[in-house]
Amino acid sequence: MQDIDTTSTQSLVDRYYEEEKAKREREQTLAAFTMRMDANDLAMLNVIARRFRKNRDEIAQEVLSNALIDLFARLDAGERKLLARDADEAARSLADEIAEENGIHSVEIKTGVWANHDRQITKIERKKAKMQESGNRPQSNSADNDDADADDEAAAQTGNQADNQPMTAQNDSAPAVTMTTEPENTDQSTEETTEHKEESQPMSMFGS
């Protein structure tokens, strides 16, 4: 009998077998954890699990895993390093207990997980600190430069006003002086000329 080529539809069954095996192996590496929850929290957990078509335990596991990292990141840097060491040392013995409960020889786990989290968090904290320092320096220098520019601009405006004011006054006063002085000089000259003529003419003995 000739071998029959596997169709794309038939390959789905193979993938389902692989997923089932991987899930079973994963479950054998997990420990049972029972907790009591408030009705409101449990209701939201059920709603989210139903919305994304996931198992409620899977949602709770992922939420707790992320929350632990957040709590760990909030610890003091020195204490965080000590707790990371204690957690990594305890993980091996806990993995052996899980293997015994699930009836398997051993559980393969990653070593130094929390120490690695500590290094990553420390790196992020240092990067943020450098960004804050570099961010504050340009702002302060910029503020000083803005003040200096404002002072220079004010001084320039004052100088321009001082230069323009005398010119304006001179231009305004010049026509006024010309208009007021010329007529006065003309009238005065006319009067002086008339008086001079009257004085220079001899008076007639017969009268005018």
Side-chain angles (χ1 to χ4, degrees), residues 24-117:
R24 184 168 58 249
E25 291 176 352
R26 174 176 171 78
E27 289 177 349
Q28 290 178 346
T29 62
L30 301 176
F33 179 74
T34 304
M35 64 178 299
R36 300 171 64 86
M37 297 182 64
D38 178 78
N40 292 314
D41 295 338
L42 182 58
M44 179 54 66
L45 179 61
N46 291 335
V47 168
I48 293 176
R50 185 167 58 251
R51 164 62 179 82
F52 295 100
R53 298 180 181 179
K54 286 184 173 292
N55 186 288
R56 186 177 66 182
D57 292 342
E58 292 177 355
I59 297 292
Q61 177 188 345
E62 293 178 355
V63 169
L64 182 58
S65 179
N66 291 327
L68 286 174
I69 296 176
D70 290 340
L71 292 175
F72 178 70
R74 194 65 175 178
L75 294 173
D76 180 74
E79 187 176 10
R80 187 174 62 214
K81 187 177 294 295
L82 295 176
L83 293 179
R85 183 192 62 187
D86 294 342
D88 288 335
E89 291 177 355
R92 182 67 264 175
S93 60
L94 290 173
D96 293 338
E97 293 178 3
I98 293 172
E100 184 178 357
E101 291 177 358
N102 293 326
I104 59 178
H105 178 67
S106 64
V107 172
E108 295 295 331
I109 64 170
K110 296 180 180 179
T111 58
V113 171
W114 289 105
N116 184 53
H117 283 315

Side-chain angles (χ1 to χ4, degrees), residues 104-173:
I104 59 178
H105 178 67
S106 64
V107 172
E108 295 295 331
I109 64 170
K110 296 180 180 179
T111 58
V113 171
W114 289 105
N116 184 53
H117 283 315
D118 177 54
R119 285 191 293 269
Q120 295 296 327
I121 294 170
T122 302
K123 186 184 297 184
I124 293 173
E125 290 176 347
R126 291 176 180 175
K127 186 176 181 180
K128 286 183 178 180
K130 290 181 180 179
M131 291 178 63
Q132 290 178 353
E133 291 178 359
S134 61
N136 292 333
R137 290 176 184 175
Q139 289 179 357
S140 60
N141 294 335
S142 178
D144 295 339
N145 294 332
D146 293 341
D147 294 339
D149 294 340
D151 295 339
D152 294 340
E153 185 177 358
Q157 291 179 355
T158 303
N160 292 335
Q161 292 177 357
D163 295 338
N164 293 332
Q165 285 178 355
M167 294 178 64
T168 304
Q170 183 177 359
N171 294 334
D172 294 341
S173 59

